[in-house]
Amino acid sequence: DTDIDSAHLVAERLRATFAAVPFSPLPNIAERCTVSIGVTRYQPYEKFESFVQRADSGCYKAKHQGKDRVVVV
């Protein structure tokens, strides 16, 4: 329940926080994990499936643009 600009800022904070968390699946092994996020806004009277599809397409766009980013669709 927020505007698209605020949602984008929240998604960007989540992305940066996730990337900053150390991940060590085994002793002496450090990996960097990232996340790609699609952000969209629910349209009145829209089917929930359409809303999720749009957000999902943003996620795939982010991955195709190099991963570790937020895309607003």
Side-chain angles (χ1 to χ4, degrees), residues 10-70:
V10 169
E12 188 56 47
R13 278 199 317 259
L14 286 169
R15 184 208 58 75
T17 300
F18 188 85
V21 174
F23 176 66
S24 184
L26 297 171
N28 301 319
I29 295 184
E31 297 289 335
R32 182 172 180 260
C33 293
T34 63
V35 63
S36 299
I37 302 173
V39 175
T40 193
R41 185 167 182 214
Y42 181 77
Q43 302 298 320
Y45 309 107
E46 176 179 31
K47 289 186 177 181
F48 184 73
E49 292 81 11
S50 299
F51 169 64
V52 172
Q53 267 184 334
R54 212 170 39 258
D56 194 44
S57 75
C59 181
Y60 281 101
K61 285 180 184 178
K63 289 175 188 270
H64 289 279
Q65 291 176 11
K67 303 179 183 177
D68 191 28
R69 64 189 66 226
V70 176

